Amino acid sequence: MKTARQITLDLLIRMDASGSYSNIILDNAFTAEKLGQRDKAFAAALFYGVLERRMTLDYLIRHYSSIEFDRMSPKVIQIMRMGFYQLLYMNSVPESAAVDESVKLADYIGRGGAKSFINAVLRSFLRDEKEIDYKDLDKEGRLSIEYSCPKWLIKKWNRELGEERTLGFLKASFGRPPIYAKVNTYKFTTDKAIQQLKADGINAVKNKLLDDCIEISNTRSIDSCSAFRKGMFHVQDISSQLCCRIISPIFNETVVDLCASPGGKTFTCAEIMQNRGKIYSYDLYDGKVDVIRSGARRLGLSIITASENDAQRFNPDIPQADKVICDVPCSGLGVIRRKPEIKYKPMKSLEEIPNTQRRIIDTASRYVKVGGTLIYSTCTISRDENENVVEDFLKEHSEFVPIVVSTGTDVLKDSYMRTMLPSDTNGDGFFTATLRRIK
């Protein structure tokens, strides 16, 4: 049977080769491998930790290695990343174990000749008392290495968010984020859901900002617990729940959700409406539509109709609606706590995204009734994908005007465009804009 470190190394090698998302690779590995709960927790912490701190770890490898970084075996690099991460950030791992176990991994990948090299590099760092030398770096260069984030992104965020909010976001980008759930208030009270979750062995506490939002932990089998099966809640980040407060649907309205999977906003809107009205929920792929349908059935929400649809193309079968939600595909920079690999994508990979977003918001606007509201949202913090798209839309669509909808909380300023950061809500980075059709 493989050890937790061997499985972590396999995962990191696979990540580099496949370009898949970290959460998918980790879930698949834990399904395939037999690991105890303690070893799973260690492997997950080491796996995500190495991804989160990759630039910091590579800076150390370059500093202490006598071999040029580009000439090293990629597998050996992964071993040293794991070793450095344990030495720097995992206080529960003795330094001797961090080094010795890293050396043993060289045999596991068939690179026994690299054992003395790995040992020498890691022990050199220990002799320097694990101090990182930043002296030759400028301010943004130091932030880049210290918080393992590309310099171009830090410059972009400093310019768009300001240095204080950027630093807060960087500090909040490490570690596993809280797991939030929205209580199904159509059928249950928050206290009843918490009581049942605790009976199921899952810790649950009420959120301070939203009465029907709970934070859950110890979630080893959340989808098989009785509270889940009874439809007492669905998992949804608090930022997305706040977006639904901004959407503010009411009884008997018609709501269209154009990019709906996995259905969190659809479900929350139906619960706010107390299952009275009509919600048309769409996604591009049939498999994702099935996820929405099964979620609606589990929660007992009968006003939801889920169908396939391409949000970029006008569909005359979609009805005119009081509220139209377009939570558009985006770079995902707001969720790097969940998927740290996102921040290492090249700048060029983001260039085409706003064009897709513009097509979707243009199409979405055609489904809004006069007097209705268009809600544009993303899980990114990038002006090119957020404010610029909305401002360009308003220049071309005089039939829409900005409107301000309060969230009912003190943590977000009242504005028609809002950028939420983890420092605001302890949730994902998120953006919303609300526009009213007046003619």
Side-chain angles (χ1 to χ4, degrees):
M1 190 171 74
K2 292 181 182 179
T3 67
R5 286 181 175 86
Q6 288 171 343
I7 290 171
T8 303
L9 178 57
D10 289 342
L11 291 173
L12 291 168
I13 292 168
R14 203 176 307 155
M15 271 291 295
D16 273 3
S18 69
S20 182
Y21 282 125
S22 52
N23 59 324
I24 295 173
I25 280 185
L26 188 67
D27 289 346
N28 290 343
F30 283 171
T31 301
E33 300 288 349
K34 292 181 179 179
L35 275 181
Q37 199 59 39
R38 186 176 177 182
D39 282 340
K40 279 185 179 180
F42 178 83
L46 183 54
F47 173 66
Y48 277 118
V50 169
L51 291 177
E52 288 173 341
R53 299 281 187 176
R54 194 179 79 186
M55 290 180 66
T56 311
L57 304 174
D58 288 357
Y59 180 77
L60 290 170
I61 293 170
R62 285 184 168 93
H63 182 79
Y64 285 100
S65 172
S66 58
I67 301 172
E68 289 183 19
F69 189 88
D70 293 341
R71 295 181 63 191
M72 284 187 236
S73 158
K75 293 181 180 180
V76 171
I77 288 173
Q78 295 290 10
I79 291 172
M80 289 198 290
R81 285 172 176 164
M82 291 170 59
F84 273 116
Y85 184 82
Q86 291 169 80
L87 290 173
L88 259 178
Y89 304 110
M90 299 187 85
N91 295 329
S92 61
V93 179
E95 292 175 350
S96 57
V99 175
D100 294 344
E101 294 299 325
S102 297
V103 170
K104 289 178 185 176
L105 287 174
D107 282 330
Y108 173 69
I109 60 166
R111 305 281 300 198
K115 291 164 74 172
S116 58
F117 170 68
I118 294 168
N119 183 68
V121 169
L122 296 178
R123 293 199 178 278
S124 294
F125 182 53
L126 286 176
R127 283 193 294 273
D128 285 346
E129 298 182 344
K130 301 192 291 188
E131 290 291 328
I132 303 176
D133 183 1
Y134 297 111
K135 68 175 183 293
D136 294 329
L137 301 174
D138 60 18
K139 184 178 180 181
E140 286 168 333
R142 173 167 179 154
L143 287 174
S144 174
I145 298 303
E146 189 172 358
Y147 293 101
S148 192
C149 184
K151 197 171 179 178
W152 71 267
L153 260 182
I154 292 173
K155 287 182 175 180
K156 173 183 175 64
W157 288 336
N158 276 340
R159 186 171 62 249
E160 296 176 0
L161 300 172
E163 292 185 6
E164 184 178 346
R165 295 200 87 198
T166 296
L167 183 58
F169 182 71
L170 291 171
K171 287 179 177 179
S173 65
F174 299 110
R176 295 299 84 214
I179 299 174
Y180 294 103
K182 165 68 174 66
V183 176
N184 181 4
T185 47
Y186 168 55
K187 290 190 167 186
F188 305 95
T189 65
T190 301
D191 289 340
K192 184 72 174 175
I194 289 174
Q195 181 183 359
Q196 182 61 61
L197 281 164
K198 288 183 176 178
D200 293 339
I202 294 172
N203 296 326
V205 294
K206 190 182 297 186
N207 181 262
K208 293 177 181 178
L209 293 178
L210 302 176
D211 287 342
D212 50 1
C213 174
I214 54 178
E215 186 175 336
I216 55 180
S217 54
N218 190 30
T219 57
R220 280 173 289 184
S221 55
I222 192 167
D223 56 351
S224 61
C225 74
S226 59
F228 184 86
R229 292 196 308 271
K230 289 176 181 178
M232 301 183 87
F233 68 92
H234 64 271
V235 174
Q236 184 184 20
D237 187 73
I238 188 171
S239 296
S240 181
Q241 293 187 46
L242 281 163
C243 177
C244 293
R245 293 287 185 98
I246 293 166
I247 295 165
S248 193
I250 60 176
F251 293 166
N252 298 325
E253 282 191 328
T254 297
V255 177
V256 167
D257 189 354
L258 284 173
C259 306
S261 180
K265 293 183 191 64
T266 287
F267 303 148
T268 297
C269 286
E271 290 161 8
I272 292 172
M273 296 162 69
Q274 286 294 291
N275 205 37
R276 289 165 54 189
K278 197 67 184 172
I279 299 181
Y280 297 90
S281 188
Y282 299 99
D283 206 274
L284 183 59
Y285 301 106
D286 187 51
K288 292 186 175 183
V289 172
D290 285 342
V291 170
I292 299 168
R293 287 175 182 150
S294 63
R297 283 194 299 270
R298 181 180 62 82
L299 295 164
L301 300 171
S302 60
I303 66 170
I304 296 167
T305 301
S307 308
E308 282 182 75
N309 180 67
D310 183 350
Q312 297 185 64
R313 299 181 179 182
F314 179 73
N315 182 348
D317 295 330
I318 293 178
Q320 294 286 288
D322 301 284
K323 305 283 167 60
V324 175
I325 310 163
C326 50
D327 187 56
V328 296
C330 67
S331 60
L333 292 171
V335 296
I336 59 176
R337 275 199 299 185
R338 301 182 188 280
K339 300 172 183 175
E341 64 276 7
I342 286 173
K343 62 185 174 181
Y344 305 124
K345 289 183 178 180
M347 188 190 314
K348 194 166 183 63
S349 69
L350 308 184
E351 290 177 357
E352 283 302 311
I353 295 174
N355 292 330
T356 300
Q357 295 165 334
R358 286 186 175 90
R359 287 192 291 271
I360 292 175
I361 191 174
D362 281 342
T363 303
S365 69
R366 299 175 67 182
Y367 305 126
V368 183
K369 291 178 180 178
V370 174
T373 306
L374 174 64
I375 301 93
Y376 176 88
S377 62
T378 74
C379 59
T380 192
I381 47 171
S382 169
R383 183 173 291 276
D384 293 333
E385 301 175 64
N386 295 339
E387 290 91 342
N388 290 357
V389 170
V390 174
E391 288 167 358
D392 288 348
F393 172 83
L394 286 172
K395 288 175 185 175
E396 297 169 4
H397 293 268
S398 60
E399 71 274 24
F400 282 86
V401 296
I403 61 163
V404 177
V405 180
S406 174
T407 61
T409 68
D410 297 330
V411 297
L412 299 172
K413 293 179 180 178
D414 281 342
S415 172
Y416 86 96
M417 292 194 288
R418 292 181 175 94
T419 297
M420 307 178 206
L421 298 181
S423 54
D424 300 320
T425 64
N426 200 25
D428 294 338
F430 209 86
F431 173 85
T432 65
T434 42
L435 312 172
R436 173 71 45 81
R437 184 167 195 161
I438 58 171
K439 59 182 179 180

